[in-house]
Structure formats: structure tokens, C-alpha cells
Amino acid sequence: MKAHVSIILPVHNAEPWLDECLRSVLQQDFEGTMELSVFNDASKDKSGAIIEKWRVKLEDSGVHVIIGGHDSPSPRGVGYSKNQAVAQSSGSYLCFLDSDDVMMPQRVRLQHEAAVQHPSSIIGCRVRRDPPNSTERYTRWINQLTPEQLLTQGVPEDLLFFYEHLRKGGGVIRVDQSLLLYRHHPQAATHSILETTIWTHRVRFLEERALPRWAAFTIWNAGKQGRRLYRSLTATSKRKVVAFCDVDENKIRKGFYCHEDSEERPKPRIPILHFRAAQPPFVICVKLDLTGGAFEDNLRSLHLQEGQDFLHFS
């Protein structure tokens, strides 16, 4: 029988967390038909035995369980495993769950309700971290993103899928309740993604989605991140940068940033201005929630409209 919701669960050596993860599937209060689609990616620990143990409990409670996998010497990765779990599933809606995470009992129900109301959107939620102070600022940041920021700042593991979804006109909706407990540990799949790879994709998406709307723009941050963004832009986008802006008196006193690696002659010299002397639109390369509210106060004082006069890239 075709399920209404398929929970997609890739597994690789998840023995320490899998019991609690699968218990959270059993505890869902969703009243529609639900299945669990597991793909075991060459686990060498007791993950397979734990899955079989929970298969009985879940099926006794009405949750159909599909188990796939392989026992090759090496795992093929979380992306491959998710795709295989999706391929073997039957649900009209897909709910992705990592084997080291825990769902709150209302997660499937509330996110399914949102998905019905927003059929072309990816549905997210607020999260908690375990241990609670492991990535405190990051957790606060993702939980407070505005609807506009969800489109420009989201950096999920499935980055390419996420961007392709947006390119095709899809949306992003967040259920504003904490429905998922993310574990932070050295084996997490997130740590295997190169930061430079994520950066490159984010810059290209910025140039594709936002910068074509602007004939010129200012980079807010004359420091390391702002200069890195400038250097990462295509030549066409670089020519749109009319200034950097900052609050650092030393940077402002210097007066300009010279791109020494440029092949242009003379080398570009980009003015560095105080933020109040700079003109929008801005691409902001200042991390939020790091200045005791000073940056946020400065930004609010300009009375700008997000998405039109500025966007965050931090």
C-alpha cells in the first residue's frame, strides 16, 4: 500500500544514536499512513541488528519498514544513500531524517500540514542542538532566519538540490517550532563537506539570483570575508562593486582596497567608506549576532529593505 509520508533514513555506523532516532519515529503522532525507508550504507557496527529490532516494533504500530543497503568495503556516501532510500520508498511526501538526529513527536504532522498548504516548497523547522552549547550561535542564526534569508543564506548539506529547487521556482517554508534535535559530533556528515566547495556554490548562486538585479553594489565589510567575496566574483560582478564599507577607522583611513592579483592594468582600487557614507544596495559579509547588537543597530538605522536594498552573505 502506498504510504502518505515516507521517512528517509540513510545509515552508516550509527550504532550510538540509532535507538533514540528510531524511537522518535515510533513516537510520531501523525495519523496518516507512514513508512520508514532505510538504506544501510556498508555499516560495520551493529546498525543492521538495531534496524531489524526496530522493524518489528514499528510494523506492529502500523509503520511499514523498507530496508535496503549494501555491504561493500567502503560506504558510498550520504547523498547516494538518501537517493537509494527515496527510490525504494512509496510516500507522496518525503521526510528526511539523519540517523544521529531525533524528531519531536509532532514533527511529521506539523511539517506535513505545512507541505499541504505549500505544495511547491521545501519544509523546514526550528532545531535544537545536542550538546546544547555545541554550535550555539549557528543554531540561533538558522532558527531566526527570515523568509527572505531562507532563500539567500540557507546552506544545507544538500546544497545543489536546494539551489536547483529554487531555480525551478520552488519555495522554502519553516515551521516555527523546534521539531528536530541535531547532534553535533566529529563523525557527522556535515564535517565531510569542504568549506571551499560550499563557498563556491554560494557565490555562484549569489551571482545568478541576486546580482543581475543591481547595476552596482557595495560590499559591507572591508575585512577578510568581504575581500574574499570580491576576489571570488566573476570579472563582470567585480566591475559592479563600487565600494567597500566598514566601521573600522584603520580600514577607512587607508581609503581603498587594491586587488593585487588582478590582471587588469591599472589594478582595481576599490574605495573603503564608512557605512553611513556608502550607497545601497549592499551585500553584507558581516556575521550576525557577534557584535552585541552593534552591527544590527547600524543596519536598522539606515531603514533599508532586505532583498531590495541589501542581502546577507555571511
Side-chain angles (χ1 to χ4, degrees), residues 33-271:
T33 55
M34 193 167 67
E35 71 180 13
L36 174 68
S37 180
V38 184
F39 190 84
N40 188 354
D41 187 20
S43 295
K44 307 304 181 194
D45 61 2
K46 296 179 181 176
S47 292
I50 295 171
I51 292 165
E52 289 295 340
K53 176 185 72 175
W54 280 96
R55 180 213 285 262
V56 176
K57 297 179 181 180
L58 288 162
E59 294 200 331
D60 283 350
S61 72
V63 179
H64 180 51
V65 179
I66 308 126
I67 302 173
H70 67 99
D71 56 4
S72 302
S74 300
R76 296 177 186 171
V78 66
Y80 174 85
S81 300
K82 285 180 180 178
N83 286 339
Q84 295 302 308
V86 169
Q88 69 190 20
S89 69
S90 70
S92 303
Y93 295 86
L94 303 177
C95 177
F96 289 89
L97 176 65
D98 290 337
S99 57
D100 53 355
D101 295 338
V102 178
M103 299 191 289
M104 300 305 106
Q106 66 272 37
R107 183 201 178 192
V108 172
R109 173 173 55 83
L110 292 180
Q111 289 192 302
H112 173 261
E113 289 174 0
V116 171
Q117 293 176 0
H118 305 277
S120 62
S121 291
I122 293 173
I123 309 299
C125 65
R126 295 185 187 272
V127 301
R128 293 186 292 119
R129 283 293 233 183
D130 180 34
N133 61 350
S134 55
T135 55
E136 189 173 355
R137 194 191 70 83
Y138 173 77
T139 303
R140 190 161 56 244
W141 170 70
I142 60 173
N143 283 336
Q144 294 176 351
L145 288 174
T146 65
E148 172 71 23
Q149 291 167 343
L150 286 171
L151 301 178
T152 58
Q153 292 195 65
V155 190
E157 289 173 15
D158 311 283
L159 191 63
L160 298 180
F161 172 81
F162 179 77
Y163 283 165
E164 192 60 29
H165 169 74
L166 296 180
R167 288 185 182 105
K168 292 181 182 299
V172 183
I173 299 293
R174 182 182 62 213
V175 175
D176 283 329
Q177 292 192 38
S178 181
L179 302 179
L180 203 59
L181 178 68
Y182 277 150
R183 296 190 195 277
H184 183 75
H185 58 88
Q187 292 78 42
T190 304
H191 299 301
S192 67
I193 302 171
L194 291 175
E195 189 275 340
T196 52
T197 300
I198 292 176
W199 175 272
T200 298
H201 286 299
R202 291 186 65 217
V203 171
R204 296 289 84 85
F205 194 70
L206 173 74
E207 293 186 305
E208 179 185 318
R209 292 273 295 194
L211 298 188
R213 307 197 307 258
W214 297 339
F217 66 94
T218 299
I219 296 177
W220 190 318
N221 185 351
K224 182 178 178 181
Q225 283 293 89
R227 296 194 304 268
R228 182 187 182 193
L229 173 61
Y230 176 83
R231 293 193 302 269
S232 301
L233 296 172
T234 63
T236 300
S237 296
K238 282 190 179 82
R239 285 192 286 271
K240 292 185 176 184
V241 179
V242 294
F244 290 89
C245 72
D246 214 294
V247 295
D248 187 316
E249 292 182 2
N250 292 328
K251 294 186 179 73
I252 296 167
R253 193 178 301 118
K254 182 179 178 182
F256 65 89
Y257 164 69
C258 180
H259 184 209
E260 296 290 350
D261 295 334
S262 175
E263 295 181 359
E264 290 187 42
R265 295 295 182 269
K267 294 178 181 179
R269 291 160 66 97
I270 313 300

Side-chain angles (χ1 to χ4, degrees), residues 260-297:
E260 296 290 350
D261 295 334
S262 175
E263 295 181 359
E264 290 187 42
R265 295 295 182 269
K267 294 178 181 179
R269 291 160 66 97
I270 313 300
I272 300 176
L273 309 174
H274 189 275
F275 77 91
R276 292 198 184 281
Q279 292 295 315
F282 298 102
V283 175
I284 296 176
C285 293
V286 180
K287 291 187 181 297
L288 303 179
D289 198 23
L290 279 183
T291 61
F295 164 73
E296 288 82 357
D297 288 344

